[in-house]
Amino acid sequence: MPPLLTDKTIVYRNQEKAEAIADVLENQFQTNDLSHPPTELKVKRTLKKFFKKKDDTEITPCLPSELLEHINKLKKGKSPGPDKITNQMIQRMPIKSLIRLTQIINGILKLKYFPNEWKLATIVPIIKPGKNPQDPSSYRPISLLSALSKIAEAIILNRIEDTIDDQLIPYQFGFRRNLSTVQQLLRLTEFVREGMDEGWDTGAVFLDIAKAFDRVWTDGLLYKLIKLRIPGSIVRLMATYLRERRFAVRVGSNLSSERAIAAGVVQGSKVGPKLFNIYVNDIPSPRNCQTRLCLFADDTAVMSTGASNNITDDLNSYLDLLGKWMISWKIKINTDKCQAVYFSRRRNIPDNPKLYRRAIPWRDSTKYLGVILDKRLTFKQHITSTRQKINAVKSILYPLIGRKSKLSLSNKLLLYKSLVRPVMSYASPVWGAAAKSNIRTLESAQNIIARQLTNSPWFIRNRYIAKDIKLQPIKDYFKKLAVNFFRAIENHSNPAIQEIPRYDPSLPRKKRRPRTLLLPG
């Protein structure tokens, strides 16, 4: 890490760097300064009334078999927390230690108290891509928690999920079982395509929430846990879990002084993502069927389909409602980073949508959940960007998969399939039916890599190389992924997925729709 520039001076030593980054993070882990007295008063009264009552209900105790199930799922390569206990050490514990750990966790559940020693996080700063390495705010905090505390969290999470899973809004796909970014992308793009086929346009606003996970209002979260009718014993336990948390930043072998975390769900924890979902679960629902909300954790998109003269009004009406809700719950929007795309084949576009009376200008494309969406959904920009990513990964792996590499062909092929091809095929069930000329760009990239892997001379045809090493053409590989993907969502229980338009992909009007990948040939 280079010397860091602070407001007062330049710091060179690791200890000083750790303190400088800790200063930035201490300010980051604070509730947004958005006052809304009616909500604050309501939350304060509810919490005071709740904690005044005596709660005799008990949380279902943990069995050694449940503990063992979570221990077996631990990944061996993970870094340890402040107590230096690794996952591998836990997996090799004798039976007596496992029984003692079960007793400790059952003590936590019985007393409804999370121990302070497990509320300390060691934060390792990692530079954000493209940021100034001398600025302390350019580092992403990677939070390392005690592995034992994560096991306790997983057991607590089981008890929370049992009570709330059927109460979560269906269009929140983040951190939920059997729901993914690709499914949310399919939902958004299929509604846009369906509108285009029917002669309608779609306007979409993509919101940027500032420090979404780090600035969750703790009292507001506890209030929402109560309102979701989660058992009082679990709410009391979560209150001790969320409050009085601390962190220390590590640079090299030096640790900063311990600092307080005043807000936010716990980074790096098992239960943190679920708590965030609960916090945003009462987000206002659109008031008409033309306006839809797409959520994946804090990645928020609002879309409206219909006649061009109604789209901006519908979006503004919902954004006004959403803006008031966000102020009430101390959620801050980066209005400068919000984007809007008008999906249409027409040249004329309506007025810009507004958030907090500030216009969000229409753009020709935006990036949402890792896919570049252009206004006509050709995905040409996304495929070009993907080709650039493939070249970047290939250059990093060149010593291993290059022509002069000493690795065997089977190992080279394994590296390609596990590290390069996933970059190429991410969300392909959504955009894999793009124009042949665009898909050919990726096919060309695979052919170049196949030649590189096999060190083939120029006169051998690409199809013979692919046949010899049993490498599927990209189009066939995308089709295989699409078949599995659409089969999985066919009978999905989530209402938001069930409402995705279904159609016959063989119809001429459905050309370039995702399901055309399922057609033979």
Side-chain angles (χ1 to χ4, degrees):
M1 186 184 291
L4 298 180
L5 300 173
T6 66
D7 294 337
K8 298 177 182 178
T9 183
I10 304 174
V11 295
Y12 297 92
R13 295 185 299 169
N14 282 349
Q15 182 65 46
E16 294 171 333
K17 291 175 188 176
E19 295 291 349
I21 294 173
D23 290 339
V24 171
L25 293 178
E26 190 173 20
N27 291 328
Q28 184 173 309
F29 299 141
Q30 301 284 338
T31 308
N32 285 313
D33 188 19
L34 300 172
S35 179
H36 193 267
T39 305
E40 291 172 356
L41 189 61
K42 177 174 64 176
V43 168
K44 190 175 180 181
R45 282 176 178 169
T46 302
L47 293 184
K48 186 177 180 181
K49 185 178 177 182
F50 175 81
F51 287 111
K52 236 179 182 180
K53 287 182 186 176
K54 194 174 181 182
D55 184 36
D56 295 326
T57 59
E58 292 191 359
I59 304 173
T60 308
C62 165
L63 297 174
S65 57
E66 185 184 1
L67 178 71
L68 200 58
E69 185 183 338
H70 289 294
I71 288 175
N72 290 334
K73 291 179 183 177
L74 295 175
K75 295 179 181 178
K76 293 180 181 177
K78 292 288 184 179
S79 299
D83 56 11
K84 308 297 182 187
I85 298 174
T86 64
N87 289 346
Q88 205 165 1
M89 291 165 64
I90 295 171
Q91 289 174 337
R92 294 181 178 181
M93 278 183 176
I95 297 295
K96 283 185 178 179
S97 299
L98 293 177
I99 292 171
R100 183 54 60 89
L101 182 57
T102 306
Q103 292 171 343
I104 291 171
I105 292 172
N106 281 333
I108 291 170
L109 299 178
K110 185 177 180 180
L111 298 173
K112 308 172 190 69
Y113 177 81
F114 202 83
N116 284 331
E117 287 301 313
W118 284 356
K119 292 196 280 189
L120 174 65
T122 299
I123 287 181
V124 179
I126 304 292
I127 186 69
K128 297 175 185 175
K131 296 290 186 178
N132 177 13
Q134 291 189 305
D135 185 353
S137 63
S138 297
Y139 290 83
R140 180 175 287 112
I142 306 300
S143 185
L144 303 180
L145 300 168
S146 165
L148 295 175
S149 78
K150 286 186 179 181
I151 295 170
E153 286 173 24
I155 289 164
I156 295 168
L157 181 59
N158 283 348
R159 278 115 185 103
I160 294 175
E161 285 181 332
D162 290 343
T163 61
I164 65 154
D165 257 7
D166 58 341
Q167 299 185 65
L168 294 180
I169 49 179
Y171 37 84
Q172 170 62 276
F173 284 21
F175 310 113
R176 297 181 67 183
R177 291 173 187 165
N178 303 320
L179 291 171
S180 67
T181 55
V182 184
Q183 291 167 338
Q184 190 64 279
L185 282 165
L186 179 77
R187 179 170 173 259
L188 188 149
T189 54
E190 284 286 44
F191 279 121
V192 173
R193 286 282 195 190
E194 188 73 10
M196 286 181 175
D197 288 351
E198 299 297 326
W200 303 109
D201 297 339
T202 300
V205 177
F206 300 88
L207 303 175
D208 183 272
I209 300 176
K211 310 293 181 187
F213 290 84
D214 296 338
R215 298 200 164 184
V216 169
W217 180 24
T218 304
D219 285 351
L221 175 56
L222 293 172
Y223 171 84
K224 293 187 180 189
L225 287 171
I226 295 167
K227 289 300 175 183
L228 274 178
R229 300 189 181 279
I230 290 176
S233 51
I234 293 179
V235 177
R236 290 171 190 277
L237 174 57
M238 295 316 299
T240 67
Y241 170 81
L242 290 166
R243 291 169 173 167
E244 298 178 8
R245 297 197 72 93
R246 309 167 330 275
F247 75 92
V249 175
R250 187 177 75 201
V251 176
S253 58
N254 294 83
L255 279 173
S256 72
S257 56
E258 288 185 11
R259 309 296 182 91
I261 298 175
V265 294
V266 184
Q267 280 200 10
S269 67
K270 296 278 186 184
V271 76
K274 186 64 70 174
L275 292 177
F276 181 81
N277 280 355
I278 292 170
Y279 192 68
V280 299
N281 195 58
D282 62 342
I283 189 169
S285 297
R287 291 175 175 175
N288 57 55
C289 58
Q290 289 81 26
T291 306
R292 292 181 178 87
L293 194 58
C294 300
L295 294 172
F296 192 91
D298 62 324
D299 289 305
T300 307
V302 183
M303 58 189 293
S304 180
T305 302
S308 58
N309 55 340
N310 294 332
I311 286 174
T312 302
D313 290 340
D314 288 345
L315 286 174
N316 285 342
S317 175
Y318 180 74
L319 290 174
D320 184 52
L321 190 67
L322 183 65
K324 290 175 182 176
W325 176 84
M326 288 189 164
I327 289 173
S328 296
W329 298 105
K330 302 182 185 293
I331 300 173
K332 191 176 181 181
I333 294 283
N334 282 329
T335 49
D336 294 336
K337 293 183 179 179
C338 293
Q339 297 181 359
V341 178
Y342 191 71
F343 297 99
S344 174
R345 297 188 180 97
R346 298 183 179 90
R347 292 187 178 181
N348 295 330
I349 58 175
D351 295 336
N352 296 321
K354 292 182 179 180
L355 179 63
Y356 300 130
R357 300 180 185 178
R358 192 168 183 174
I360 304 171
W362 297 115
R363 296 178 53 140
D364 290 339
S365 63
T366 190
K367 192 172 187 179
Y368 181 64
L369 300 180
V371 173
I372 298 173
L373 305 172
D374 57 275
K375 66 180 182 181
R376 295 193 179 182
L377 287 188
T378 63
F379 296 107
K380 184 176 180 179
Q381 287 177 261
H382 176 72
I383 291 171
T384 303
S385 172
T386 299
R387 177 68 188 262
Q388 292 169 354
K389 289 179 185 176
I390 292 164
N391 291 339
V393 175
K394 187 176 70 171
S395 64
I396 293 169
L397 293 176
Y398 189 79
L400 297 174
I401 64 174
R403 291 178 179 269
K404 295 182 181 180
S405 170
K406 301 298 182 184
L407 283 180
S408 65
L409 178 59
S410 60
N411 284 334
K412 289 180 181 179
L413 203 56
L414 179 63
L415 284 171
Y416 166 70
K417 288 181 178 179
S418 58
L419 297 177
V420 182
R421 196 165 64 175
V423 174
M424 191 183 297
S425 61
Y426 169 70
S428 61
V430 174
W431 55 264
K436 290 180 182 178
S437 57
N438 292 330
I439 299 299
R440 217 173 285 131
T441 304
L442 301 179
E443 195 73 63
S444 168
Q446 178 170 275
N447 290 338
I448 291 169
I449 294 172
R451 284 186 171 277
Q452 186 177 295
L453 297 177
T454 56
N455 196 18
S456 299
W458 63 270
F459 53 82
I460 298 180
R461 291 184 178 273
N462 291 326
R463 67 173 180 269
Y464 296 143
I465 298 172
K467 187 177 179 181
D468 285 347
I469 62 177
K470 298 178 181 177
L471 191 61
Q472 279 181 302
I474 283 298
K475 190 72 176 180
D476 292 347
Y477 181 64
F478 287 174
K479 183 171 288 189
K480 177 186 170 184
L481 294 178
V483 168
N484 294 334
F485 175 77
F486 284 108
R487 187 184 295 148
I489 70 168
E490 203 63 42
N491 298 312
H492 206 288
S493 59
N494 184 282
I497 289 181
Q498 289 173 358
E499 69 174 10
I500 294 175
R502 305 292 171 95
Y503 51 88
D504 181 358
S506 63
L507 294 174
R509 288 181 63 192
K510 304 302 178 183
K511 192 179 179 182
R512 303 275 175 260
R513 296 284 290 270
R515 287 180 184 269
T516 56
L517 279 172
L518 306 178
L519 295 174

